[in-house]
Amino acid sequence: MGEGAHMTADPLHDLLARWPGRFRFGRLAVVLRDPERLDDAFLTDAVLRGIAEDDDERSVFDSLLREGQLEAAEYLLENGPLSEPAHDRHRITARQHELQEELRSRFAVLKQLAEAADLPLPPELDWTELERRCAVSWPETERLLDTARNSIETGLDAGRERLTTRLAEKEAQGTTDPAWAQSSRALIKEGLLRAAARQIDDGTRSPGPERVPALPAWNLEVTPERLLEWHLDPVQQQRQVRYRDWAPADDSARHLLEAYYSLSDGGFVAAQGFTTALNAFLFPDDTEETRPDEVQGGYLTTVSRVFADAETARFRPRDNLDLFIGGPDTREPEGMGKVPPFAAVGPCLEPRADRGRCSVLDLRSLLQLATLRTGRSIALLRVLGPQWPLAMFAGETADELAELLGPDEGAWWMTLRWILDLTGLGGITVADALASATGWDPALLTLFLQALAERQGLAAGGPGWLPRWSQHRQFTAAVEDTVLRPLGPSVGTRIAFWAALSAAPVGEDVTADELMRETQYAADLVPDAAALGAAMVGLGRLRLAEEASADRVRLRQCGVLIALRDRAGQRLEEALRDWAERAEQDAPEEESQAVREWEARRYGLSPGYEEYLAALADSVPAADLDNRLARLARHTAEDAVDQQQVAGATDLVPLLREMRGLWQQALRGRQMEFSAPPKAVARISGRAAQVVLHELLANAGEALADSDGGRVSVEVEQSGEDWLVEVRDSGPGISYPEGREDLVFRAARSTRGEGRGGGLHRARRIAEAADGALVLAARSHGHPILKGAHFRLILQMG
């Protein structure tokens, strides 16, 4: 009897299970694996469908893969006459990883829904069982997920009804604030029942964008202009039943609509009247009048405190917003090139379909805003945000996004929700999908946000695109490039990356031996153990590397790496071929690139730093790179330390891990020992911390220049309310005489020759600007083994 056949009580079934032609009849070969599901009607239907659809083995296999019937596809591969088993095996593995990622994303969403609603997880959300089912049959897995969602939705409906009744009882007592009640209803509507219950019970306000009521849906048949006429005509207000739901929330809302109507008259008085009315609508206690300035086509004025909410202030510390008020015939603002992203309003201005620096507040949006009693400034930003460039809320670069997110992982989730909310890109579900896919790598997060913004409004875009991002070849290539970009052109670190990804599931440790074995499986000629060990340390430059040393590597579990793992074997072979062909002639060039990247870290606070890094990544000719680097050096030497550049909070551990990897690539043959707690958040910006640490590590590396090898030790430890970063080296130490150690921090002074000083001087100034300190703890012999200099950086805990 052939493999996969079953003995049953029915001889016909046994015969069909051994029949070689069974694979031509669609799902017949598949259902024969499970005798409990067999009956004559099922067998007949399977054969007739196969005949009608003209199935063959290849089309059956392809359809099984599409549907996610993985165990059935494997059965067909093992027992059927398919001609490309190796290729088809790879396809099964790739589809399995794809479905596992979709399962992970949907599971996380359902778990988040249940937790936010304070509901127990349905029994169908057993992760172990779901993972097992996913490896067998995606349709069976989907049935479990759908059952779980229905169970959660039922619990949500009951919870909403219960909390709505409790809120109504509170309101009936006459002791509640209408704005607070409106916020509570918004939380109930969003399904955040735990937060809503807490808010109703203790009277507090919950954080997050969901606490702010959404604008009412515009489902009226009348035009905004007609509805505005109703607002201005008391007779129509009484006659029109539909008007009641759109009545202004209070006098400030009524005055705002009247002021908008007056804009059709034009002139200074109308512009000032609208500005005053909008400020009063947003903040009733704001009595300060703003005088508009006449500009081409209208007036330029300011809306006060639009970003004053504690949760939106991070996006624009200067909380005022420029407002262009167009004249009666102005269709587009002109001459506003030097104004940062601004808002515009006017009788003839209309919102643009694409994102730009001008965001139009149109009449329909004003009518929607006028119904709100609470969260008005945030609701206004929800109108304007989707029209502004994404950078308004997510920063121009990945580093700016990282600064916005901050070092506290607990705050990342909330910040991302605000970014998505104010840009109109989605809510909690999208935030969870992004976090799961990107592993919180700011560069990947920036890439995914940009992709969402580009696809906004498209039928195949938005949240529906996220679970299927890996099916888009061009975007997947961009993802791969973004992940690997921190490694530069180094073939060795790419070999280490693909070998680590191939050797074990993402999130598990890969030892040096395992990584070496993986490379040996892929090619006959591979780098030696020492070179691979150095490359493993170099992986610390990746934000997605949770551990990177010469002994082991652990990559963060996220959707991007799970998807890239499907091609890890192929990419490893390509990287090894590349290494074998180019190792000898390109080694100096690769080393030079690492040196340039390392040297650039010194200039992280200087203008042009981002452009220089981009030029490095684009392989700009060396002469141009040298000129750019010289300009950076001049800026660094001339610029004073800017307090604003130093302010912030940074987790020193991942920063040091990244710098360690680059340091060991740039300074071949020198080793760095690193020990730190899992997290060390200091009160200093990421760029400022990078510059200070670069000077310390560069100084230690140069101390080993004349030695054959050498070691540097970096330890991060807590001392009271401070973090101490201890940097020791095995070099000759500092030659200044005892009692004159402070000379090492003087500008333009160095023990290494004329013109070499300034780095440690600048590092100390930056540390002091962050209310910290940088000291020379020992000139030499401060450690029994590492007998060189010992520097101590002291930074306040963040």
Side-chain angles (χ1 to χ4, degrees):
M1 182 173 294
E3 184 181 352
H6 298 272
M7 289 296 295
T8 71
D10 189 334
L12 174 61
H13 296 171
D14 294 338
L15 176 64
L16 288 173
R18 296 193 300 272
W19 176 40
R22 64 191 184 278
F23 297 106
R24 297 197 305 272
F25 292 95
R27 281 141 182 72
L28 176 60
V30 176
V31 301
L32 285 168
R33 296 178 304 114
D34 189 357
E36 294 181 2
R37 296 174 55 191
L38 296 178
D39 57 53
D40 292 341
F42 199 97
L43 288 172
T44 303
D45 179 67
V47 172
L48 292 177
R49 281 182 58 193
I51 295 172
E53 296 172 9
D54 194 23
D55 276 346
D56 60 20
E57 292 84 353
R58 174 56 59 188
S59 65
V60 171
F61 181 80
D62 291 344
S63 65
L64 289 173
L65 272 189
R66 282 195 304 272
E67 295 168 13
Q69 296 282 12
L70 300 180
E71 190 175 78
E74 286 202 23
Y75 172 78
L76 184 55
L77 179 61
E78 292 171 3
N79 296 280
L82 293 174
S83 58
E84 300 178 280
H87 174 69
D88 290 330
R89 172 69 60 191
H90 176 75
R91 290 180 62 199
I92 291 175
T93 302
R95 182 63 171 144
Q96 183 177 27
H97 290 159
E98 185 180 305
L99 292 174
Q100 283 178 340
E101 178 55 24
E102 185 166 352
L103 170 62
R104 192 181 306 280
S105 176
R106 289 179 61 172
F107 176 86
V109 168
L110 292 176
K111 184 180 179 183
Q112 178 69 31
L113 275 175
E115 290 177 351
D118 207 13
L119 296 171
L121 285 181
E124 294 83 7
L125 282 186
D126 180 326
W127 174 254
T128 302
E129 177 61 18
L130 284 169
E131 200 171 28
R132 187 191 69 78
R133 292 282 187 101
C134 183
V136 174
S137 167
W138 179 247
E140 290 180 16
T141 310
E142 270 198 309
R143 279 193 287 273
L144 288 176
L145 292 172
D146 290 341
T147 302
R149 175 173 282 279
N150 291 336
S151 175
I152 292 171
E153 291 291 350
T154 300
L156 274 170
D157 290 341
R160 287 190 179 104
E161 186 175 348
R162 183 174 62 256
L163 287 179
T164 301
T165 301
R166 194 192 306 176
L167 179 60
E169 291 171 352
K170 284 240 179 185
E171 289 183 292
Q173 297 170 5
T175 59
T176 62
D177 172 15
W180 170 87
Q182 197 170 23
S183 174
S184 299
R185 286 196 183 87
L187 291 171
I188 293 172
K189 182 179 179 181
E190 289 294 326
L192 302 179
L193 305 187
R194 176 181 293 174
R198 185 167 56 247
Q199 182 163 305
I200 292 170
D201 289 340
D202 58 26
T204 59
R205 295 288 179 92
S206 297
E210 296 79 16
R211 65 178 164 85
V212 181
L215 292 176
W218 187 271
N219 52 13
L220 288 175
E221 296 177 0
V222 298
T223 63
E225 290 73 19
R226 176 60 61 84
L227 183 55
L228 179 60
E229 291 176 8
W230 294 356
H231 277 287
L232 303 173
D233 185 348
V235 175
Q236 289 291 340
Q237 293 173 19
Q238 295 175 5
R239 291 176 55 187
Q240 299 294 337
V241 176
R242 290 173 294 181
Y243 170 80
R244 294 172 189 167
D245 293 334
W246 293 89
D250 54 25
D251 288 342
S252 69
R254 186 174 295 107
H255 294 156
L256 177 63
L257 296 175
E258 292 169 355
Y260 178 86
Y261 181 77
S262 299
L263 291 180
S264 58
D265 298 331
F268 173 83
V269 174
Q272 186 173 43
F274 182 83
T275 305
T276 302
L278 182 56
N279 279 319
F281 170 74
L282 296 175
F283 299 99
D285 60 338
D286 191 348
T287 57
E288 181 180 350
E289 285 198 1
T290 302
R291 182 180 178 84
D293 296 315
E294 189 169 2
V295 295
Q296 184 178 354
Y299 294 85
L300 184 62
T301 184
T302 300
V303 186
S304 302
R305 299 162 57 195
V306 175
F307 289 84
D309 187 284
E311 294 185 67
T312 58
R314 73 193 79 184
F315 301 113
R316 196 162 185 169
R318 181 178 67 86
D319 58 13
N320 294 344
L321 176 67
D322 294 311
L323 175 67
F324 173 85
I325 301 178
D329 301 317
T330 302
R331 296 190 174 277
E332 189 170 339
E334 297 181 18
M336 304 284 286
K338 294 185 179 180
V339 178
F342 64 97
V345 65
C348 293
L349 297 179
E350 294 183 359
R352 296 171 51 128
D354 55 344
R355 293 176 181 265
R357 291 174 49 259
C358 173
S359 189
V360 174
L361 177 60
D362 63 347
L363 175 56
R364 192 174 90 169
S365 298
L366 271 173
L367 291 166
Q368 292 171 299
L369 285 167
T371 65
L372 300 181
R373 294 185 178 275
T374 186
R376 290 172 172 179
S377 62
I378 291 172
L380 174 63
L381 290 177
R382 283 174 172 163
V383 172
L384 305 176
Q387 302 176 56
W388 277 325
L390 179 65
M392 179 73 178
F393 297 101
E396 294 280 357
T397 65
D399 282 338
E400 289 184 15
L401 177 58
E403 288 287 342
L404 274 172
L405 292 173
D408 181 9
E409 293 185 33
W412 293 351
W413 173 249
M414 185 69 73
T415 302
L416 181 57
R417 279 160 58 190
W418 275 110
I419 291 172
L420 292 169
D421 182 85
L422 297 178
T423 55
L425 294 179
I428 289 179
T429 302
V430 176
D432 186 83
L434 285 175
S436 175
T438 65
W440 292 110
D441 180 340
L444 285 172
L445 200 50
T446 297
L447 182 68
F448 273 79
L449 286 170
Q450 289 170 345
L452 282 174
E454 290 168 3
R455 290 165 172 77
Q456 193 171 19
L458 301 179
W465 165 81
L466 266 177
R468 300 188 301 274
W469 68 264
S470 60
Q471 299 176 18
H472 298 262
R473 185 176 302 175
Q474 195 170 8
F475 183 74
T476 304
V479 166
E480 182 176 331
D481 178 68
T482 301
V483 170
L484 295 175
R485 191 176 302 140
L487 301 180
S490 170
V491 179
T493 48
R494 289 172 186 252
I495 290 172
F497 171 78
W498 292 116
L501 202 58
S502 180
V506 180
E508 295 185 8
D509 283 355
V510 177
T511 66
D513 289 342
E514 290 170 333
L515 193 138
M516 174 61 83
R517 279 198 299 272
E518 200 66 31
T519 60
Q520 291 170 341
Y521 291 151
D524 294 329
L525 185 62
V526 301
D528 59 30
L532 279 179
M536 289 171 69
V537 175
L539 293 182
R541 299 165 62 184
L542 298 176
R543 287 184 179 269
L544 293 178
E546 292 185 330
E547 170 67 26
S549 69
D551 299 320
R552 67 187 64 253
V553 170
R554 183 173 64 255
L555 301 174
R556 182 176 302 169
Q557 190 174 67
C558 65
V560 160
L561 293 187
I562 290 172
L564 292 184
R565 190 167 188 257
D566 294 339
R567 63 190 67 189
Q570 176 188 347
R571 291 290 190 267
L572 176 58
E573 292 176 5
E574 293 170 357
L576 285 166
R577 283 198 300 270
D578 197 22
W579 174 81
E581 293 170 4
R582 298 165 48 194
E584 291 189 9
Q585 68 248 33
D586 284 358
E589 180 182 338
E590 187 170 313
E591 187 171 327
S592 172
Q593 181 82 3
V595 170
R596 288 182 186 278
E597 288 189 59
W598 170 249
E599 185 65 19
R601 295 300 192 270
R602 171 174 280 134
Y603 309 115
L605 293 177
S606 300
Y609 173 72
E610 289 288 350
E611 290 79 2
Y612 180 75
L613 291 186
L616 271 177
D618 293 340
S619 300
V620 167
D624 190 23
L625 287 175
D626 289 339
N627 291 334
R628 291 172 186 252
L629 193 62
R631 286 196 296 271
L632 279 177
R634 285 197 300 273
H635 281 301
T636 299
E638 295 166 1
D639 288 353
V641 175
D642 185 348
Q643 185 69 42
Q644 191 170 355
Q645 289 181 306
V646 174
T650 302
D651 187 351
L652 302 175
V653 177
L655 177 60
L656 277 165
R657 188 182 295 126
E658 183 267 341
M659 296 184 75
R660 176 198 186 199
L662 186 54
W663 184 90
Q664 291 198 176
Q665 276 191 281
L667 283 72
R668 297 281 183 176
R670 297 163 220 184
Q671 298 298 316
M672 183 188 299
E673 300 168 357
F674 175 55
S675 65
K679 198 169 191 176
V681 178
R683 205 174 298 171
I684 186 172
S685 71
R687 284 288 171 80
Q690 170 190 297
V691 171
V692 175
L693 292 169
H694 175 277
E695 294 298 346
L696 292 176
L697 298 178
N699 184 76
E702 289 178 4
L704 307 177
D706 298 328
S707 62
D708 196 7
R711 290 166 54 199
V712 170
S713 168
V714 179
E715 296 181 35
V716 182
E717 57 186 31
Q718 183 179 347
S719 176
E721 296 299 314
D722 295 323
W723 288 111
L724 306 184
V725 183
E726 312 281 4
V727 180
R728 299 178 176 91
D729 63 65
S730 62
I734 301 294
S735 61
Y736 290 124
E738 188 174 351
R740 304 299 308 277
E741 295 89 346
D742 226 50
L743 288 173
V744 77
F745 295 110
R746 287 182 59 178
R749 292 295 295 269
S750 173
T751 60
R752 299 193 177 92
E754 190 69 26
R756 297 294 304 281
L760 290 174
H761 170 73
R762 180 175 173 78
R764 174 180 260 191
R765 288 167 58 211
I766 293 172
E768 290 173 347
D771 294 325
L774 176 59
V775 298
L776 179 61
R779 291 175 303 135
S780 61
H781 294 86
H783 188 274
I785 299 174
L786 300 165
K787 297 181 180 182
H790 173 192
F791 285 89
R792 176 177 295 136
L793 173 63
I794 306 169
L795 294 170
Q796 292 186 21
M797 297 178 68

